[in-house]
Amino acid sequence: MVVIGADATGMSAASQARRSRDADALEIVVFEKGRHASYSACGIPYWVSGDVAKADDLIARTPEEHRARAIDLRLRTEVVELDIPGRRVLARDLDNGAEYWTGYDQLVLATGATPIRPPLPGIDAAGVFGVQTLDDGEALIDALTASSGRDAVVVGAGYIGVEMAEALIRRGFRVTMVTRGPEPMSTLDPEMGALVREAMVGMGIRLVTGTEVTGMRADADGHVRAVTTADTEYPADIVVLGLGVRPATDLARRAGLPLGESGGLLTDLAQRVRGHDDIWAGGDCVEVLDLVSGASRHIALGTHANKHGQVIGTGIGGGYATFPGVVGTAVSKVCDLEVARTGLLEEDAERAGLQFHAVTIESTGRAGYFPGAEPMTVKMLAERRTGRLLGVQIVGREGAAKRVDIAAVALTARMTVEQMTALDLGYAPPFSPVWDPVLVAARAATRAVARG
């Protein structure tokens, strides 16, 4: 078993295969071009902010622990070519440049995703960072510590961009965020993103929306000094790119493996690459089935990646498992504002050709009379005529984000909003009003469907 990539999918697959009934007969080799394995990339912004003390806290299992389980983990080794007819891979030792071929019976592609880095003037200047790996996080922290200037610009306002902006504020930098979207977090509908904007501005972040970055201006020493747009520039001693990621599938593309519209690998339900019984793929380098729209999507999240690895390892180990798909659940926070979504946005539903009703309600996370009750906004989409739940977005304070799990289960079960109103959810004044905010939204959506 040869695995390319030693993070969530790759090491989950290797570990699960090692636990299989045929483990003694299985040789496992894992190639990783970085210096770390089995770590939480999602935790990097919290390491930068200081919430997480050190990089080791983000590592789930050390290389030595993997090797003690007879997993041959080779760090700083990049696979540069796939020979699919010959069932072998060409690996390059990044420290000495040596190259060698390794044969496989089963190949696992867990190459992840790479930060989008558009070909803008000056983007390769010193002080411009993408944040995807522990090495990226370490380089950024070193630069922040060494910087004598205190101006930082975050380009892009997705999850990573918003989390990094907060981290930089907490490190004492003056932060400007520039995004071409109308509001931060394009993973929300604009009116919900406006609530995030309010919280960010309240933290002291200067937010520039509807604006395209045209480049970076560097000084004579090649260090970034400003981020430029069509009509102005913003001073920058540090620039963090938060423009999202794309599947890291160049290796697969050169080998002729099937890719979807996003560039992610296409697999079956068992995570085999389509048309290849001996090649498997999972994590941020694949497309997944959206159970709500029925389309394939690229969604880069550690939750899916770990599940993919379990499915792959089970299959290679002689068992049977499948990954049915996703509903697109994600949560984040800005200071004490919690942000969550699952299912489809209005734009997603329109693209899928679905007709829908959208309702937005205001409620509180606790009984209104209970101390500490904070406002919460819930937006819900329901299909016209059928009333099937299509999506939920939640923005609020303590207790808001994880309420999205109610909706995630309802989406997976293909429940209608009317069925949701009868859900037997937990209630006590410290935790919820008698009618939970999600159920208040479901009642509003039920009335909209009935009127429609």
Side-chain angles (χ1 to χ4, degrees):
M1 174 182 177
V2 168
V3 182
I4 305 174
D7 201 3
T9 296
M11 297 317 297
S12 291
S15 298
Q16 181 65 25
R18 178 55 73 215
R19 289 192 287 267
S20 70
R21 63 176 181 267
D22 300 323
D24 292 342
L26 183 64
E27 179 185 357
I28 303 175
V29 179
V30 182
F31 296 107
E32 167 56 50
K33 65 182 180 181
R35 297 187 294 113
H36 304 280
S38 294
Y39 60 88
S40 172
C42 302
I44 293 174
Y46 306 105
W47 174 32
V48 174
S49 72
D51 287 329
V52 175
K54 56 187 185 300
D56 288 350
D57 294 337
L58 300 179
I59 296 174
R61 188 169 290 165
T62 66
E64 291 72 26
E65 289 173 313
H66 286 301
R67 290 165 185 150
R69 303 181 67 211
I71 296 173
D72 183 359
L73 173 57
R74 305 179 189 181
L75 299 176
R76 295 281 299 156
T77 306
E78 182 179 10
V79 172
V80 295
E81 185 178 342
L82 304 180
D83 177 9
I84 292 174
R87 296 165 67 94
R88 60 180 187 164
V89 304
L90 179 63
R92 177 183 298 151
D93 187 314
L94 296 179
D95 291 325
N96 60 30
E99 294 186 350
Y100 55 93
W101 290 96
T102 298
Y104 66 83
D105 298 298
Q106 303 290 334
L107 175 64
V108 179
L109 300 177
T111 48
T114 56
I116 294 173
R117 199 176 181 97
L120 298 174
I123 199 164
D124 293 324
V128 180
F129 296 89
V131 184
Q132 181 73 8
T133 67
L134 282 189
D135 291 339
D136 295 336
E138 184 175 31
L140 175 58
I141 289 172
D142 289 345
L144 293 172
T145 302
S147 178
S148 58
R150 309 309 293 171
D151 287 306
V153 175
V154 178
V155 181
Y159 289 110
I160 292 297
V162 168
E163 290 167 359
M164 288 305 307
E166 179 179 351
L168 292 168
I169 281 282
R170 292 182 59 185
R171 290 186 71 98
F173 279 75
R174 295 181 292 269
V175 178
T176 300
M177 171 174 279
V178 184
T179 177
R180 63 183 179 185
E183 299 290 351
M185 284 199 172
S186 61
T187 52
L188 301 175
D189 285 323
E191 72 272 24
M192 300 295 280
L195 301 175
V196 179
R197 170 204 281 267
E198 183 180 339
M200 294 180 70
V201 171
M203 291 173 58
I205 296 170
R206 177 166 60 170
L207 193 55
V208 183
T209 58
T211 302
E212 194 89 35
V213 169
T214 57
M216 285 82 183
R217 178 174 61 78
D219 60 19
D221 295 326
H223 194 285
V224 69
R225 289 302 171 212
V227 170
T228 62
T229 65
D231 52 8
T232 190
E233 67 176 31
Y234 300 95
D237 304 293
I238 297 289
V239 176
V240 176
L241 303 177
L243 296 168
V245 297
R246 59 168 58 96
T249 51
D250 287 346
L251 192 65
R253 179 181 289 106
R254 294 198 302 270
L257 295 177
L259 305 179
E261 289 186 10
S262 71
L265 280 154
L266 299 176
T267 68
D268 61 18
L269 291 179
Q271 297 303 133
R272 284 188 178 91
V273 173
R274 293 182 190 176
H276 298 269
D277 289 342
D278 56 355
I279 304 178
W280 314 66
D284 294 355
C285 66
V286 305
E287 291 192 356
V288 292
L289 175 64
D290 185 318
L291 297 175
V292 186
S293 69
S296 290
R297 298 175 60 189
H298 178 247
I299 302 179
L301 285 175
T303 49
H304 310 155
N306 278 282
K307 292 169 188 171
H308 290 166
Q310 293 288 308
V311 169
I312 292 168
T314 298
I316 290 178
Y320 180 72
T322 61
F323 182 81
V326 305
V327 294
T329 308
V331 297
S332 187
K333 76 174 191 71
V334 181
C335 195
D336 64 343
L337 186 73
E338 300 181 4
V339 183
R341 58 75 49 90
T342 189
L344 307 181
L345 307 183
E346 288 195 26
E347 182 182 8
D348 300 329
E350 290 167 356
R351 189 181 305 115
L354 296 169
Q355 295 185 332
F356 59 90
H357 297 283
V359 299
T360 302
I361 64 95
E362 304 287 336
S363 185
T364 55
R366 300 173 177 174
Y369 56 80
F370 197 87
E374 295 279 3
M376 183 183 306
T377 303
V378 181
K379 181 174 182 178
M380 183 171 288
L381 272 61
E383 189 173 25
R384 286 190 180 179
R385 292 190 289 192
T386 71
R388 177 171 67 106
L389 179 68
L390 296 179
V392 171
Q393 300 162 57
I394 305 175
V395 177
R397 259 66 190 188
E398 182 182 358
K402 288 298 284 181
R403 274 184 164 85
V404 81
D405 291 341
I406 304 168
V409 173
L411 284 167
T412 304
R414 298 182 65 84
M415 294 179 69
T416 66
V417 289
E418 184 177 14
Q419 288 172 328
M420 289 181 67
T421 64
L423 287 174
D424 186 11
L425 303 183
Y427 159 70
F431 304 107
S432 171
V434 171
W435 283 93
D436 187 90
V438 173
L439 299 190
V440 175
R443 293 177 71 184
T446 299
R447 291 192 295 270
V449 171
R451 287 195 302 269

